[in-house]
Amino acid sequence: MAVVTRLFDNHNDALEAVSALERAGVASDRISLISNNSDNWHDGHAHSGDGRRFGDMNGDDENDVAEGAGKGAATGGVLGAGAGVLAGLGMLAIPGLGPVVAAGWLASTAVAAAAGAAVGGAAGGLLGALKEAGHDEGEAQVYAEGVRRGGTLVSVRTEESDRVRVETLLNDRRGFDSLSRGAAYRENGWSGFDAAAEPWSAEQIAEERARYNR
């Protein structure tokens, strides 16, 4: 089983990528999304087609995913499983990254790792989850930094034979791999992800997005 991850500068591009994957027949339980939510973009968004707010899987206007995230991760469950990835998005707080919106297998792994980790463990949990998924240290560092800087990760577990198709679906919706984005970060003095650093503010993230012409 291969894992394909891309970083999106715009959460709408990431949401469209997830929808495109599902339309193309990729099973929802193979898709995960972790997105910075410092600008509170998640609030009020609805899952296209049924009108329910993200995270409200039973229609009671409450965030079911955030409420049950720890339990789901502890039992090996997938955050947001059962109603499509976007319908299952829920809000979480991750030290080092700040508020995030998350769903899927990678989010579950990160939450489970964070639950038993020491100081800064939730951010370390994301790094650990990425490495457990098959990314090397350098790739994991770039992708975690991307979320810290306001980005959105979409990760897909796929058969090796389907890797190119999945990569094309993500690339066509402006997903960046770790090589291209890591090079851009290093050009501006970045040397690695610091799990103990303060989360970026909404103002810092706005400046970062402007740098990449988002």
Side-chain angles (χ1 to χ4, degrees), residues 22-184:
E22 291 180 328
R23 289 195 302 268
V26 178
S28 296
D29 63 3
R30 291 192 173 193
I31 305 169
S32 190
L33 182 148
I34 299 178
S35 178
N36 190 292
N37 195 42
S38 64
D39 57 358
N40 204 33
W41 69 263
H42 172 277
D43 188 37
H45 274 59
H47 179 54
S48 58
D50 59 22
R52 289 176 298 171
R53 294 174 59 194
F54 286 159
D56 180 18
M57 291 181 288
N58 61 11
D60 66 356
D61 206 32
E62 297 292 334
N63 189 330
D64 307 315
V65 179
E67 181 179 332
K71 179 180 178 182
T75 59
V78 177
L79 300 187
V85 175
L86 301 188
L89 287 172
M91 290 179 283
L92 304 169
I94 298 184
L97 299 180
V100 300
V101 176
W105 60 270
L106 183 64
S108 294
T109 305
V111 170
V119 175
L126 177 55
L127 286 172
L130 287 163
K131 289 188 284 186
E132 184 177 330
H135 291 294
D136 63 30
E137 178 72 25
E139 293 170 338
Q141 292 258 343
V142 171
Y143 288 136
E145 181 70 15
V147 176
R148 183 169 181 263
R149 295 184 180 213
T152 300
L153 289 186
V154 175
S155 292
V156 184
R157 291 192 292 204
T158 182
E159 302 297 334
E160 187 63 47
S161 59
D162 203 29
R163 176 195 283 269
V164 172
R165 184 175 73 106
V166 169
E167 289 177 339
T168 299
L169 284 166
L170 296 175
N171 294 343
D172 286 351
R173 284 152 185 87
R174 303 191 69 228
F176 293 88
D177 64 21
S178 62
L179 288 176
S180 59
R181 187 43 56 88

Side-chain angles (χ1 to χ4, degrees), residues 4 10 16 21 58 76 81 88 164 175 179 183:
V4 177
N10 184 308
E16 170 53 30
L21 290 165
N58 61 11
V164 172
L179 288 176

